Amino acid sequence: APAPASSAAEALPDSLWFDGPATATLTAEDGRFTDGLGREAVLRGYNVSGETKLEENGGLPFASVADAEKSAAALRALGGGNTVRFLLSWAYAEPERGRVDTAYLADVTAQMRAFLDAGIRVFPDFHQDLYSRHLFHEESWYTGDGAPAWAVEAGGYPRESCGICFFWGQNITQNEAVKQATYDFWHNEHGVQDAFLDTAETTMAYLADHLSAEEFAAVAGFDPYNEPHAGSYDSGQNSRTWERDVLWPFYERFRARMDAAGWREKPAYVEPNLFWNANLSFQKEEGGLLDAGTLGPRYVFNTHFYDQKAISGVFMPGKARDGQYTGDFESVRERADDSGTAAVVSEFGHPLKGAVSDKAPTVYKAMYQALDSRLPGADWWSDPTDSGPVLSGTQWQWDIYNGRHHELMNGNPDKVRTEGDAWNDEDLSAVRLDDSGKAALRQDARLLDRLYPAATAGRTLGFTYEDRSRDGSAALTWNPVPDSLPHLAELVGSGQYGVLLWRSDSKEAPTELHLPASFGTGDTTVVSDLGTVHGPPAYTRTTPVAVAPEPGGTGSRRLLLTSSAPAGTMHAALVTNGAPSPSPGLLAAAESELSAWAEAQG
């Protein structure tokens, strides 16, 4: 049953003249994404959602299109996201060998459209964890997702057992059934990899055929395989040679299927060995697609990061601090730069319930800080141009059914899971439904709904955002305005603020920053060489500092900064919701102070 497509000529609500051309393409090259207007683009959002890993909604993220629409609107308006990693299920796409379920693909398309119509970019992901739920029996402590039952039955794998495993991820390296099934997939035993690639191609072709041209343009690419691992290595093989000789050829095969399905202009979001950047020394394995050569623009360097030290409850006493993850995320920037492509951290997060959940506010703040800049807050103002590119990232996860599931774990009616994410005792969703059925954040809105440069007309030189998020009742301020800039410090006060430093191009399209809901138009002050204003006006082509809704009709907003200066001109903008009614004298002094500081950066 084909999914009905909206009119190809219909623009999203609240679109401006440049939005269509900007969305038309997304290119990954030279360490950064660029949109259809050549502006640097930053993808920020969430994974939608771990519900796909469950059986209760048939391998779909949502029970209905209406729920998808509710989730998309909330993700845009409450979560500040402009992108989602959209999870798909191989098990439901190909329930019988050689038969792709077009009814499932129609439902996938309709639910994906809810996000595209809200102005949110999408990159799908055929998700797997522990290869397949069909490896696990009714009494298992854990479960998996990914491959269909027929692929498991073809292998005749042993009864799964992880032994003494305190975390579900230990199954990757300790569970013989998982290890053998994973190994067989990579070596195409029983033709399972061929079957997966056939299904992936059919799925991609279906999406290309059933989304309108404008909708398909906002599909940012495809993530072929979640968290790849060898299962076990052949004699003489190590993680690096496995990436080179096994994983990379798979990605090349997948890339060919993308081309055949009409996705030639879209990149593959390829993940290295999942342990390449582990922060526990005994888990870390050499990797990062070191031998793949230049990736852009055909591939994006796509990785995950979880602080296993913090999650363990043993290896990281205390909480995260300023600059905690700058080194970890710098390794991501370096790999993308060396590979000639853009990077995305497509999963990051920390448990919101349980023994180590007290670390979550600081862990998340430090992760977002590291996405924004490779500098700790204490160093940012003295050397902002060493920030590096602003990284794209999608937090794990956005599941509106959090705490309201009804999942029979491994089909066992005596093991009904309702709490948290309903999957292996995880609880990481940033959202839930309240008692009235309305989407509500489970984390501090100051942390999640962030100021970030969604599109920069030119080259970003440095960016920082002080969100003032809370750890309990304590405000976390890791990047105060230095005392050497007293007027800017007075203007910001105890409010949130961000600073963008960039070198413009000669294009007419504006630089745009997502404005959090906490930055009401009447509460927002912008200090910039383009203009200094409290309460920015509505956008016009001739208004250098302005606000406008973001496309999609969700009520989310953006700040638009338009430069008429020659290409190569350096600009600086500080955006804050600190001072409720700053005086003209304070605004003038702050502008002079920011200008002198920016000029000193060269």
Side-chain angles (χ1 to χ4, degrees):
S6 61
S7 168
E10 184 179 349
L12 296 180
D14 298 320
S15 291
L16 294 172
W17 65 271
F18 54 85
D19 287 320
T23 309
T25 58
L26 185 72
T27 304
E29 207 164 11
D30 298 330
R32 305 169 192 241
F33 286 108
T34 54
D35 68 13
L37 295 171
R39 300 178 302 173
E40 283 188 16
V42 174
L43 313 182
R44 287 287 177 90
Y46 304 84
N47 283 261
V48 176
S49 76
E51 172 71 23
T52 300
K53 295 159 67 167
L54 307 180
E55 294 290 293
E56 61 185 7
N57 284 332
L60 292 165
F62 303 98
S64 65
V65 172
D67 278 1
E69 292 170 344
K70 177 191 297 186
S71 183
L75 188 147
R76 194 74 153 140
L78 299 180
N82 66 6
T83 302
V84 294
R85 181 174 181 243
F86 193 96
L87 273 59
L88 306 177
S89 169
W90 177 22
Y92 276 90
E94 190 184 9
E96 300 171 14
R97 184 167 196 148
R99 181 182 72 83
V100 175
D101 187 343
T102 54
Y104 175 76
L105 298 187
D107 289 339
V108 163
T109 305
Q111 293 190 9
M112 189 180 294
R113 179 175 290 119
F115 288 84
L116 297 168
D117 287 352
I120 298 169
R121 292 185 188 268
V122 171
F123 63 98
D125 156 47
F126 262 121
H127 205 79
Q128 72 81 38
D129 284 298
L130 310 185
Y131 190 70
S132 173
R133 71 182 295 271
H134 299 288
L135 288 172
F136 295 80
H137 54 86
E138 281 193 346
E139 299 302 322
S140 293
W141 287 11
Y142 300 106
T143 190
D145 76 291
W150 63 260
V152 171
E153 292 164 0
Y157 301 109
R159 184 178 176 89
E160 61 81 18
S161 174
C162 193
I164 301 175
C165 291
F166 297 103
F167 302 102
W168 69 259
Q170 291 175 268
N171 284 271
I172 297 168
T173 56
Q174 292 179 221
N175 187 324
E176 288 302 319
V178 172
K179 290 168 63 177
Q180 291 183 35
T182 302
Y183 178 93
D184 283 355
F185 176 85
W186 295 120
H187 292 81
N188 199 24
E189 295 293 330
H190 318 292
V192 291
Q193 188 181 118
D194 288 340
F196 171 78
L197 291 169
D198 289 344
T199 299
E201 181 179 342
T202 301
T203 300
M204 289 186 284
Y206 188 98
L207 290 170
D209 289 343
H210 290 81
L211 294 170
S212 72
E214 283 74 14
E215 289 167 343
F216 188 56
V219 176
F222 208 106
D223 183 344
Y225 196 92
N226 179 68
E227 296 183 352
H229 186 261
S232 58
Y233 295 118
D234 289 321
S235 177
Q237 191 177 58
N238 58 32
S239 57
R240 180 167 179 170
T241 59
W242 176 78
E243 281 192 353
R244 183 192 67 201
D245 299 336
V246 178
L247 181 61
W248 187 251
F250 165 76
Y251 286 146
E252 291 181 315
R253 296 185 75 198
F254 195 96
R255 176 70 261 182
R257 299 303 186 103
M258 291 180 69
D259 295 350
W263 291 56
R264 179 175 293 277
E265 303 305 318
K266 300 180 185 295
Y269 288 61
V270 292
E271 302 183 38
N273 176 349
L274 83 157
F275 293 123
W276 83 280
N277 61 342
N279 70 345
L280 288 171
S281 59
F282 57 83
Q283 284 189 336
K284 191 176 181 68
E285 298 182 5
E286 185 182 20
L289 304 178
L290 295 169
D291 300 299
T294 300
L295 302 184
R298 301 273 283 165
Y299 302 91
V300 169
F301 185 75
N302 173 17
T303 187
H304 297 174
F305 182 78
Y306 293 92
D307 184 352
Q308 296 298 338
K309 291 181 180 179
I311 292 173
S312 72
V314 175
F315 297 103
M316 190 189 98
K319 300 182 179 183
R321 61 191 184 278
D322 178 26
Q324 181 89 17
Y325 304 119
T326 54
D328 297 295
F329 283 47
E330 174 57 11
S331 66
V332 177
R333 287 180 171 89
E334 289 176 350
R335 283 301 305 128
D337 187 58
D338 291 345
S339 303
T341 190
V344 60
V345 184
S346 64
E347 283 190 30
F348 60 94
H350 188 85
L352 299 180
K353 291 284 181 68
V356 298
S357 59
D358 64 309
K359 301 178 189 292
T362 58
V363 166
Y364 277 101
K365 181 179 175 75
M367 288 181 176
Y368 274 111
Q369 178 194 52
L371 286 173
D372 289 344
S373 171
R374 65 183 173 199
L375 297 172
D379 298 337
W380 192 87
W381 281 94
S382 61
D383 194 14
T385 58
D386 197 35
S387 288
V390 181
L391 282 177
S392 295
T394 51
Q395 179 178 324
W396 185 271
Q397 67 162 329
W398 190 267
D399 174 16
I400 60 172
Y401 306 118
N402 176 270
R404 295 173 176 266
H405 292 284
H406 188 84
E407 174 72 2
L408 278 61
M409 185 175 177
N410 298 316
N412 189 339
D414 296 325
K415 297 180 76 173
V416 179
R417 296 292 181 253
T418 60
E419 297 299 313
D421 301 337
W423 197 85
N424 287 344
D425 296 323
E426 288 198 335
D427 192 347
L428 283 86
S429 178
V431 71
R432 62 178 178 86
L433 296 179
D434 64 19
D435 291 340
S436 69
K438 184 178 179 181
L441 295 179
R442 300 179 65 230
Q443 295 179 266
D444 189 346
R446 287 163 289 216
L447 172 75
L448 298 180
D449 189 12
R450 307 178 63 78
L451 189 82
Y452 61 90
T456 301
R459 185 79 168 179
T460 301
L461 302 177
F463 174 72
T464 190
Y465 180 53
E466 178 49 77
D467 56 45
R468 311 278 191 181
S469 57
R470 303 297 197 265
D471 180 10
S473 60
L476 299 172
T477 301
W478 291 354
N479 189 1
V481 179
D483 294 339
S484 58
L485 302 170
H487 296 102
L488 289 173
E490 180 183 353
L491 185 69
V492 168
S494 60
Q496 298 167 293
Y497 82 89
V499 180
L500 177 66
L501 194 66
W502 77 104
R503 200 171 295 282
S504 67
D505 55 23
S506 58
K507 298 181 177 67
E508 187 182 357
T511 290
E512 58 182 281
L513 294 93
H514 169 72
L515 274 180
S518 57
F519 283 69
T521 300
D523 302 317
T524 299
T525 301
V526 180
V527 179
S528 174
D529 62 292
L530 299 176
T532 295
V533 59
H534 177 72
Y539 172 78
T540 71
R541 288 196 186 208
T542 58
T543 306
V545 179
V547 294
E550 289 174 319
T554 62
S556 60
R557 297 159 51 257
R558 50 186 164 168
L559 178 70
L560 300 174
L561 304 173
T562 304
S563 170
S564 58
T569 302
M570 188 167 71
H571 300 291
L574 179 143
V575 188
T576 183
N577 58 5
S581 53
S583 68
L586 177 58
L587 292 177
E591 181 179 342
S592 176
E593 212 167 62
L594 184 70
S595 177
W597 170 82
E599 186 177 351
Q601 310 313 314

